[in-house]
Amino acid sequence: MTVNRPAASYQGFFGYPDSAEISNITLVNVSVHGYSYTDPLAGYAHSSSLENLHLTGEISSSRDYTGGLVGYLSGGNVHYCSFNGSVSGLGSYTGDLVGYAPGSPKIYHSYSLGTAAGNNKVGGLIGLLQDNSAALSDCYSRASVSGLQEVGGLTGYLWGKVYRSYSTGLVSAPEDAPGVGGLLGYKSGGSAVVVEGYYWDTQTSGQATSAGGSGKTTAEMKQQATFAGWNFTGDPAVWSIAEGADFPNLVQTTRSIALIPAVQFHGAGGVIGNIFQVISNTDWSAASNHDWLIVSGDATSTNSGKAVEVRPSVLRR
């Protein structure tokens, strides 16, 4: 999908959904350029339910409210959604998943990868989460973030509640810029703001401080013991971790691919449209365990003349 309307606002697949239910959509390699309220799915979403939405691509706007999933999210729920790509806004409220989220939205079991760049209120997941009843839980961002002020690896500006979430991306801003943090750039709202079980990687982020949360080394961020109180073992579990090898992944983002004729399962956080690590099997041998394959939806690919089939029936959550 390509949208190139640099002078138009409310750009996206749906534009302006109101009290809508949107689910089970994957958009790969989208390119969206707008003026304000710009996003591949919806420029502005009001009181809507968004579930199982996964997007990759490149988004840019000339002004405010720019996100990889929704530019302006007013209330509603976001569950099991992701964005992997670049988001750039020349104004305020830029996030790799959501630009601006007022009106008591609930965002959970979602994540972002890639980059987010803006002016102020720039976050790896959300630019601004604003409402006493707004809640973010069991989410993460590995996106690199850059801005001029109020810049954070997870949220640029927080006025809400955050539970069991983390960020690892590089956070960049001018020297002495106000409100810059590894996890949270700026936190407001007094006792109404709750931050529990929140972590950021002090090494990969390049930031030793944050407006909230606990800073950990990269080694600590790859140990289950760091994330006390997180659900790694429940039925169903929310999180999984390859101890010492990777950061925590949401169980919903664990995916498998079928290499004809066998099925190989991978727990490295791949989703449709993203990268899976390929290992050898009886019919298709990778040169080494560093070979990679990008798959997109219900499709096939080839390597060394051997077919590789993506079977949705074996994709697991």
Side-chain angles (χ1 to χ4, degrees):
M1 182 183 80
T2 299
V3 177
N4 185 19
R5 297 173 179 169
S9 298
Y10 302 101
Q11 298 304 296
F13 194 76
F14 293 102
Y16 189 154
D18 189 352
S19 302
E21 294 184 3
I22 304 172
S23 62
N24 304 321
I25 294 174
T26 296
L27 298 176
V28 179
N29 294 331
V30 300
S31 177
V32 180
H33 306 279
Y35 181 72
S36 188
Y37 299 94
T38 303
D39 185 273
L41 185 77
Y44 189 121
H46 178 259
S47 299
S48 296
S49 175
L50 311 178
E51 182 168 6
N52 194 26
L53 308 172
H54 305 286
L55 300 90
T56 70
E58 180 258 334
I59 319 300
S60 67
S61 76
S62 302
R63 289 294 298 273
D64 306 326
Y65 312 116
T66 313
L69 184 74
V70 177
Y72 191 118
L73 177 70
S74 178
N77 298 295
V78 174
H79 175 230
Y80 182 37
C81 294
S82 70
F83 178 76
N84 183 0
S86 65
V87 176
S88 175
L90 297 182
S92 302
Y93 315 110
T94 303
D96 209 45
L97 191 73
V98 176
Y100 181 36
S104 305
K106 305 296 187 290
I107 302 169
Y108 55 109
H109 300 180
S110 297
Y111 68 94
S112 63
L113 311 169
T115 62
N119 189 333
N120 66 80
K121 298 176 180 62
V122 187
L125 196 74
I126 303 173
L128 169 58
L129 181 66
Q130 183 180 20
D131 193 283
N132 288 347
S133 299
L136 179 70
S137 64
D138 295 297
C139 294
Y140 69 86
S141 174
R142 300 182 188 176
S144 297
V145 186
S146 61
L148 301 181
Q149 62 183 30
E150 295 164 352
V151 184
L154 195 72
T155 65
Y157 190 116
L158 173 67
W159 185 349
K161 299 173 174 61
V162 181
Y163 307 96
R164 299 176 305 278
S165 300
Y166 75 87
S167 66
T168 63
L170 177 67
V171 177
S172 304
E175 187 176 357
D176 299 326
V180 179
L183 185 72
L184 310 177
Y186 184 81
K187 181 176 67 173
S188 182
S191 60
V193 175
V194 177
V195 180
E196 296 180 0
Y198 240 32
Y199 304 92
W200 84 94
D201 189 320
T202 57
Q203 293 175 285
T204 57
S205 70
Q207 299 292 330
T209 62
S210 169
S214 300
K216 303 293 181 180
T217 66
T218 301
E220 289 173 321
M221 291 288 290
K222 295 180 178 181
Q223 297 173 2
Q224 182 175 324
T226 296
F227 304 91
W230 291 30
N231 182 1
F232 286 95
T233 59
D235 186 15
V238 175
W239 295 93
S240 66
I241 191 168
E243 190 74 13
D246 196 9
F247 304 109
N249 286 291
L250 291 163
V251 170
Q252 291 93 330
T253 65
T254 301
R255 289 292 182 265
S256 64
I257 59 175
L259 306 183
I260 298 172
V263 175
Q264 302 282 352
F265 290 96
H266 302 281
V271 298
I272 290 174
N274 292 343
I275 297 175
F276 292 83
Q277 189 171 16
V278 177
I279 59 176
S280 62
N281 82 334
T282 56
D283 192 49
W284 181 47
S285 297
S288 74
N289 62 2
H290 297 296
D291 281 8
W292 301 90
L293 170 73
I294 298 178
V295 297
S296 301
D298 185 4
T300 60
S301 184
T302 60
N303 183 287
S304 301
K306 299 293 185 179
V308 181
E309 183 179 1
V310 183
R311 300 175 183 171
S313 61
V314 301
L315 295 182
R316 64 177 186 175
R317 294 186 180 184

